[in-house]
């Protein structure tokens, strides 16, 4: 699976994630999935005695209906990332959807009963309840189910920022999405079309992935493993300038991206799996740009704009979250194992909590 960006979690000013979770009074217990020590999927343990957190003055308690499963959570589980936040016995999960259960005394944007989705809260989302700061929540459109709402947060926010804020996509441009069948890639297809791209080409390594890419609205889906990959690319773009490349796996593709990007084009790196080596001088004659993208530097205003665009996308009909597979809380370990061992990405899976 092409990796979802992890830069978002490295410094999130809007969630204060660099602080250790504060001790909170609890009044009851809940079901949740905790990290029972760092390691493989087997360390994810379902428990029925997890404390329900109590919101502070500017915090909100959300009754989780569905939790998203993100690739970054594999690194968290292994103790490779966010260890100061996700300690052993912490609840796993960084995003999800649900209903506002309780609000702190200084909360002004939300009230009990509001349908919302969470973009990285103060506690994990693989549980019946999660705690979030007010600016971590966004209204969930009534036309979306809670399962669909759990697909939104990290993938769509990441895709929007990469295309709109970083690449500054314009109407009439052509877009190549490397790793288009993954959760961020599918969101990129929909957002690129909504913002006026006229040619959208996605790559995927399996027939199922390529079928999904086409179903989501791409003009062409190409097997990046094929021997005639470059010929297929030339046919797909019909000798047009490739204006924007969204790259999910730069350690594998970055040299190729620099070869095929058009004059004045933009390569936006969203993810990688290993070390990337390239010669930036390839960009000189084309005056092309290569840049990174993540949510780490997104301001509160940036995030509000993304949320408004996504809400409008539901109204207009172009935003259609794709759910790969639905698991239960008890199946969290299985979900992680399958995420890390599947052949080819097929969008985002979720955990149906209720």
């Amino acid at each position: 699976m092409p990796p979802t960006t992890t830069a978002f979690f490295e410094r999130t000013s809007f969630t204060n994630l660099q602080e250790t979770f504060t001790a909170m009074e609890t009044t009851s217990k809940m079901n949740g999935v905790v990290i029972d020590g760092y390691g493989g999927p087997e360390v994810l343990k379902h428990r029925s005695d997890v404390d329900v957190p109590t919101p502070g003055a500017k915090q909100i308690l959300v009754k989780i209906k569905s939790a998203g499963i993100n690739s970054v959570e594999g690194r968290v589980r292994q103790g490779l990332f966010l260890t100061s936040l996700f300690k052993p016995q912490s609840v796993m999960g960084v995003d999800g959807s649900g209903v506002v259960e309780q609000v702190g005394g200084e909360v002004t944007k939300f009230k009990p009963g509001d349908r919302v989705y969470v973009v990285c809260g103060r506690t994990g989302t693989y549980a019946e309840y999660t705690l979030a700061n007010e600016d971590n929540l966004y209204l969930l459109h009534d036309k979306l189910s809670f399962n669909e709402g759990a697909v939104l947060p990290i993938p769509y926010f990441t895709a929007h920022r990469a295309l709109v804020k970083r690449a500054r996509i314009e109407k009439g441009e052509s877009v190549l999405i490397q790793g288009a069948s993954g959760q961020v890639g599918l969101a990129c297809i929909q957002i690129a079309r909504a913002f006026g791209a006229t040619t959208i080409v996605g790559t995927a390594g399996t027939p199922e992935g390529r079928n999904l890419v086409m179903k989501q609205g791409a003009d062409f889906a190409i097997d990046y493993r094929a021997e005639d990959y470059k010929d297929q690319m030339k046919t797909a773009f019909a000798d047009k300038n490739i204006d924007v490349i969204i790259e999910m796996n730069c350690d594998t593709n970055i040299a190729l991206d620099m070869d095929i990007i058009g004059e004045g084009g933009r390569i936006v790196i969203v993810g990688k799996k290993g070390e990337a080596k390239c010669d930036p001088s390839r960009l000189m004659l084309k005056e092309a740009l290569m840049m990174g993208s993540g949510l780490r530097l997104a301001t509160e205003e940036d995030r509000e704009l993304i949320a408004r665009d996504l809400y409008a996308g539901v109204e207009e009909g172009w935003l259609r979250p794709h759910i790969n597979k639905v698991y239960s809380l008890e199946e969290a370990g299985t979900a992680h194992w399958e995420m890390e061992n599947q052949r080819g990405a097929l969008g985002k899976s979720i955990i149906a909590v209720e």
Side-chain angles (χ1 to χ4, degrees):
M1 174 182 292
T4 300
T5 182
T6 60
F8 167 51
F9 302 100
E10 293 173 359
R11 183 178 67 81
T12 51
S13 59
F14 59 98
T15 56
N16 293 323
L17 282 181
Q18 296 306 316
E19 301 173 3
T20 303
F21 294 146
T22 57
M24 303 171 190
E25 296 180 0
T26 58
T27 58
S28 60
K29 303 295 182 179
M30 65 178 178
N31 287 297
V33 176
V34 303
I35 310 168
D36 189 23
Y38 298 124
E42 69 278 359
V43 304
L44 296 180
K45 303 295 185 182
H46 176 265
R47 285 174 39 187
S48 59
D49 60 348
V50 179
D51 291 336
V52 177
T54 300
K58 296 184 179 181
Q59 296 176 332
I60 298 171
L61 183 68
V62 177
K63 184 175 180 58
I64 290 292
K65 301 290 187 177
S66 301
I69 301 173
N70 298 279
S71 58
V72 68
E73 292 159 358
R75 295 182 61 202
V76 170
R77 189 201 67 230
Q78 296 173 64
L80 302 176
F81 197 56
L82 291 178
T83 54
S84 64
L85 304 173
F86 290 94
K87 297 182 183 342
Q89 307 311 313
S90 297
V91 174
M92 173 60 76
V94 298
D95 63 6
S97 65
V99 177
V100 172
E101 178 81 5
Q102 183 182 354
V103 299
E106 298 180 20
V107 170
T108 59
K109 296 180 182 179
F110 301 95
K111 64 184 184 304
D114 285 344
R115 302 172 81 248
V116 295
Y117 59 97
V118 183
V119 184
C120 204
R122 293 299 302 274
T123 61
T125 53
Y126 288 18
E128 293 180 295
Y129 294 92
T130 195
L131 191 66
N133 292 341
E134 188 171 19
D135 62 356
N136 289 89
L137 295 186
Y138 302 91
L139 286 176
L140 178 63
H141 200 292
D142 289 340
K143 291 182 179 180
L144 294 184
S145 67
F146 288 112
N147 283 1
E148 291 172 321
V151 175
L152 279 184
I154 302 305
Y156 278 84
F157 273 53
T158 299
H160 188 287
R161 186 164 177 84
L163 281 164
V164 180
K165 182 71 172 183
R166 302 297 286 144
R168 298 187 182 277
I169 187 172
E170 297 181 359
K171 291 183 178 180
E173 290 193 314
S174 61
V175 179
L176 170 63
I177 303 167
Q178 296 275 40
S181 64
Q183 50 187 271
V184 176
L186 296 180
C188 281
I189 294 171
Q190 296 176 13
I191 293 171
R193 185 68 72 195
F195 278 78
T198 54
T199 301
I200 301 174
V201 178
T203 65
T206 66
E208 297 81 5
R210 292 189 291 278
N211 288 338
L212 180 58
V213 166
M214 294 298 293
K215 184 178 179 180
Q216 292 297 307
D219 297 298
F220 297 91
I222 298 175
D223 181 0
Y224 58 78
R225 297 189 177 100
E227 292 183 2
D228 62 344
Y229 174 86
K230 288 188 177 181
D231 291 336
Q232 291 187 51
M233 193 74 66
K234 184 176 180 179
T235 299
F237 284 100
D239 294 324
K240 293 180 182 177
N241 198 62
I242 301 179
D243 300 300
V244 176
I245 298 177
I246 304 297
E247 181 55 68
M248 310 296 171
N249 194 6
C250 72
D251 47 309
T252 299
N253 300 320
I254 196 61
L256 173 64
D257 292 340
M258 290 191 296
D259 282 342
I260 64 177
I261 191 67
E263 294 181 355
R266 290 89 75 201
I267 301 170
V268 183
I269 299 170
V270 175
K272 74 180 192 70
K273 292 182 179 179
E275 182 180 359
K277 296 181 179 180
C278 65
D279 178 5
S281 65
R282 300 185 187 191
L283 303 176
M284 292 170 57
L285 293 179
K286 301 176 182 179
E287 293 191 339
L289 300 176
M290 181 168 61
M291 68 193 83
S293 182
L295 295 175
R296 185 174 72 90
L297 300 181
T299 65
E300 184 175 349
E301 291 75 18
D302 290 336
R303 299 189 309 276
E304 289 289 350
L305 173 61
I306 294 173
R308 288 197 298 271
D309 280 351
L310 297 184
Y311 196 92
V314 179
E315 285 284 310
E316 297 163 6
W318 59 260
L319 193 155
R320 304 177 305 278
H322 170 77
I323 301 169
N324 178 29
K325 191 172 180 179
V326 180
Y327 299 88
S328 66
L329 281 173
E330 292 85 351
E331 296 173 317
T334 299
H336 271 232
W337 188 92
E338 292 184 353
M339 174 179 68
E340 294 171 358
N341 289 278
Q342 66 181 345
R343 180 180 179 272
L346 293 172
K348 182 174 181 174
S349 294
I350 59 101
I351 291 174
V353 178
E354 182 178 292

